[in-house]
Amino acid sequence: MPFHCATRNMAALLRSARLLKFSPSGLLQVTGTKRNGPPLSRLYSGAVGGSRTGLCSRQTSRAVDNVSSRVWPYAVGCVRNYAVATEQKDESSVAVRSKQAQEFDWALTKLDSSVRRTGRITKTLLLRIFHDICRTGYPSGNQALLLLRSCGSLLPEVPLGERTELAHRVWDKLQELGAQYDVSHYNALLKVYLQNEFKFSPTDFLAKMETASVQPNRVTYQRLIAAYCQNGDIEGASTILGFMKGKDLPITEAVFNSLVTGHARAGDIESAKNILTVMKGAGIEPGPDTYVSLLNAYAEKGDLDSLKKTQEAAESADCSLMDRDIMQVIFTLAKAGHQQHIPEMVERLRHERGYVPDAMNLCLSLITQGLEDTAFHILKTFPTLQSDSLSTDSPNLGNFFLRHCVSMDTSLEKIGLFCKELQESNMHAAPLSFTLSCALEAKKTGVSLELMKLMKEQDLPIRPHYFWPLLTQHVKNNNAAGVVEVFKGMQELGVSPDVETLSTYILPVFPSMDAARQALKDVGVSVESEGFLCSEVRTVAVNNLAELYTLLSNPSFPSLDMSAFRGSLIQGFRKSDDVESMVKITDLLYKDERFSKGGSKPAEKASFFLYNLIDSMSDKEVQAQEDKLQKYLNQLQAQNITIPVNIYRGIRNLLESYHVPELIKDVIALVNSKDQESNNGSVSTVPRVPGIEGKVLALEKKLAELKAENKPLGTVLKQIIQTLSAEENLQRALELKQQHEEEMTVSAYVTLINLCCRHDNVEEALSLKREISRKDSSVVLDGSKYITLVKALSKSGRVEEAVDILKEMKEKEVAIDDTHTTMLFHVLNALAAKGEIAAIQQLQDTVFTLGLAKPTANLCSPLITAYLDRKDLSGALDAAMECQKLYKHLPRIHDIIVGLVEKGDTELLQKAMDFVSQNRGEMTMLYDLFFAFLHTGRYREARKIIETPGLRARPGRLQWFAERCINTNQMESLEQMVDMTAKLFECDRDEMYSYILRLCKETNDWQKAEAVWTKMQEENIIPRERTLRMLADVLKSNGQEVAFEVPETWYEQADTKQKVKVAPNLPTVDSGAEYQVRLMALCKKGKAKEAYEMLKDCIKKGVALGPAPYDHMIRALLAEGSMEDAMAVKDIAASHVPGFQLSDIATSLLIVTHSKKGQPKDGLETLKSMLSADRVPSQLAITRLVQALGSHGDVAGIQVVESLMKDLGMSINLSSMVFINNTALAHIKNGDVESAVELLEEIYTNPNSTSPSIAFVFRKILEEDNDKAIDKLSAMAERLANHFACYRPASDLFLQLLDMNKVEDAKFMLARCNAVAEQKEMLISYVARKTQSPGQVGKIKTLLSLIPNFTEKEVLYPYLMKCHFVDKDLSSAKALYEQMQKEGIVTDELSLKRLAVLYRKEGETAPFPEPPESFKFYADKLKERTDKAQAPAEE
């Protein structure tokens, strides 16, 4: 087709795009702007192949649409959190891979840190993660995506071809290991091809996808178009555009950007320029990326005038080009050979935030391409204070530059010039020395020696340790000739080896000291010097103690302080078993003054040596060498060697910490005067306080009896008043108080005051308070009672009296904690609802002035709320500004700014922004304005704000607004925020999209969720595991196919999947590799039966398979419980794959399956064979096996398993109670309940007992209705409680009875062992567990009916509120909230959050402002408060 014809057809095709199903709105037009795409709700364009969506955005072409972006981008879409959680493929494999998982998590954290900090990763780190994944043998789809996407522009230090080879290596290896590839993986591979300029056939690529049964989506087509355009093939791009049109896929900005590149590469720069006009005609306003594509086109041509004009056009079109955009143009100019225009472009750099990492990546890419001079020009634009290290003592700008020059074998002449200029311009203090260190690190001997010569010419010092890296490899290889050659190089440079160099890097390579002496003499080294002598002693000390003694004991041996060779001597002592020589050497050092310089005595130095020897050894080493050390110490005593007491004490402490006290007696024998020390322990007991029970009638009867007997009434009177208070019976409570005024306790008065305040009877409450003072002036109420009075007074309009109460609190130094601060907030907020601004101001000022509470944004907010409710924005702003001036807080500034934006009051808005900028910084001001514009739907203005040069992501602020959008169901605002932050520096894109998915999950909008998935692929985002799960949950709940691998355990799959019918027509595949991929994909989707049928078909056709698909299929069949089929597959594998063995996971699953099928003996045999092959079972396999043995009464079998686990020598996090509980159950199964009781009693009566749980045993015998066992074990529990004060068994039994609705039995248990009611931690733990699942509130209320006061209401009520929240029971939640208000109990913020969400979901308005933070924030806060909770102090 002639080129002009192709162009004409392309134009026609693009014109026809306007007539597509979603045009013009489908072509990326948003109200208020023509540049950016619509919200996701308008982008769903029907399925591609039944499941894909259409999405588009301006940022997607960052690394696709031109050369420079492919080779060097600092792609924001890639700068996200790469810390993908390690996927646990099988629950049963946790123990096997625990160590590998820890290492992998560490590596991923390092990778994430590297990308966030520098925008790149190193090849070394990437390969390490790759090898870790391969070593585990179970790569997930997400891990494969991580590795593939890291093989492109994130490796600027690696040549393009090498990056592509690495990508292919990753692809093939992970596929071989069973990774399941979906369309996102193929799209990632395409992205890597484009970034690495790899030439490939798009049609072959599509055919490869078709063979793998993977359906392309819009992102695939966009990147294929980019591939054609990269080579200037407009005709090929037209073909793909035709495909897109046929599938009703929108033509996005990314496609147009590629076409700009394509036309330019084809030599038609005018057509490239005209694409912008075509875009506008199609309803898409060209964005920054489009202009960058055109700029790169002109840069390739070297057209400076057009470059300038295009930049001016971009600025006039309100498309702000960032520094990284200009850097792409610079890279293109350099690569095209137009270096003369680069200074012009460099002048346009604005040095925004993030400039340095961007510029570093540009320099690295330029050096990789052999363009060092341009890279150095860029380096000189770095800020002068920029340093590559944390030290600021001396400048060292350019470390990365010099290191990469060495790595890429840049000529020494150039490196020398770079170093000279860096030093002369005071950018680097010692560039040559640093370059040398890089060359030595890279083991480049020739370069290193040349650099040393260069340093010598410049009179720079050359140290002996510079040669260590060159000597290390020769020493490892025992290459004496290599060492001698390096040594000659040292001599040529005039460097003499020091003691460390000789003893560590030269002498050890020779077979003997004589050989070393001769070799060194031959090259002119003096072997009589002190340095050589010291080195000789060090070397001999490590290897031969007998020879060392001969050397040192020679009278002609010169003086040499022991400190010169002490470390080597200690090393030799630790290695050697020659105790005789050890004693001789110690004796020599103890007596001979030649080895003790500086005035210290030889005996002292020898004693310290003994201490240093023990100190240098680990506890395991001392334990292993205990016999050797004992002989050594005994022989020292025989030689009359003594040590000071302080040395003895130091050695004794070491031996005690090493758990080798047996050696202490041998050490103490070396001391002249012995000291004895003893330690005595003490035992304390904690008294128990019984609980309060009884109802009003019983208590009144008791009160009458006490009065008749003339006994004290205080305690019972207090109980009656507390009970009446709970029933809100104020009148009866006051009557009782009147009748027994002399017997009233302080606690009773406090309860009455609370009750009066709840009933708004302020006069009576104040009267009661005065009565307390008359009775005892020293009594001080606690903070909550005072604040309750303040609330009641302010509610009645008696603000001055409320202020007096606050002043009294200050005078009496009443302690205030977080709970009281929250109460104060509710007091002020109640006044705000009534619009009483003056009262709020007076109380707030009093609280802060007196210092009762620290000023917080929360405490300051009611005043602003009052103004906002009156629509007085000016007053609200002035009040907020005053708070900032006085207390450094800006309460509700977002709501104020939103109000001003909605009102259009630009004068006040400017005043607010100026104030925020001055007091909180410009970035805070910009975020406040950004969120206000988003909130009010002014998206064009919001985009201008967030694209402010230098602005960087603030995760906390972004999360705050996202949570707000989720809680108020504001999808459009949330979508716009996510879209606008695509290029925000350091923005976590996965986190941003997860917010949209959370809202999709709440609204059950699967179309939008699917659109989000496509959008994430466009941005090249690697999703976290939780993001994939969330997306999969939305799709599954709506019956949609999940076209990617969902990280989940095999047993989760086994529990949730349905039986799969065998497909009548299996897909046609040809090669073994294709069969293998298909088989493993079916297994991972839970279609084991279908995979089994395909395997049979493979066998018939004679297709050869590797071991991986067999193992995956066996695991999948075992997960379904199909043991027979699994064993059949194992037999097939054994006959077709030589040496086939089940993996650890499959073997563990086989043990589990045997156990579940009631075949524990077979499971035990499998375990034995597994351990004999040095393989490790999973924790789940051992647990299930032991449980099965217990249920079959096989005590001996359990003991065998326990013994095997002890011999294993490694921990798989298995509790010892697994064996004890199931042994007890085995005894019970055999009718030997007495042995079970004896076993369990022994556990609890042991002095070192940790009181473990036996709830599992109780549950089993209760389920089986084993009356005999129940009677015996319950008697045991009572005995342990009453005789040994051990309450865990009784508590376990009581809670199990309660959980199984055996309420009467639970009551009986409680009556016989009332101390159970005091086991507060266990009872609260039970309540906490019940709140995790719906329908459990009845059990909690039953517990409360049996033990009414087992914990404070402040602790209990949040759990009840959670129950109602989980049950979605708004009416019960409302009733609880009202009850808390009546009782004066402050509702914690987490409960308020839950209640507000219930209101919202029912379409009702909560009578209080919804707490703005996340559930997790308030949950953590409540947990911290609960941990500090203590029993009430008032009695």
Side-chain angles (χ1 to χ4, degrees), residues 94-141:
V94 174
V96 183
R97 297 184 293 155
S98 60
K99 184 177 179 183
Q100 293 170 342
Q102 290 169 5
E103 292 174 354
F104 184 50
D105 286 341
W106 176 86
L108 284 175
T109 302
K110 290 282 288 182
L111 178 60
D112 170 53
S113 172
S114 177
V115 173
R116 284 182 175 278
R117 185 170 50 86
T118 66
R120 64 183 180 275
I121 58 177
T122 64
K123 182 181 177 182
T124 303
L125 183 58
L126 182 62
L127 287 176
R128 175 174 180 178
I129 294 176
F130 175 48
H131 293 148
D132 281 346
I133 292 174
C134 292
R135 193 164 64 247
T136 63
Y138 313 103
S140 70

Side-chain angles (χ1 to χ4, degrees), residues 614-643:
I614 303 296
D615 187 38
S616 69
M617 302 173 75
S618 66
D619 53 351
K620 291 182 180 178
E621 194 176 358
V622 171
Q623 291 163 14
Q625 298 187 26
E626 184 177 348
D627 291 341
K628 183 183 90 172
L629 289 170
Q630 191 171 33
K631 288 179 186 176
Y632 173 59
L633 293 169
N634 290 337
Q635 290 186 34
L636 288 181
Q637 184 188 6
Q639 294 293 325
N640 294 320
I641 292 175
T642 60
I643 60 174

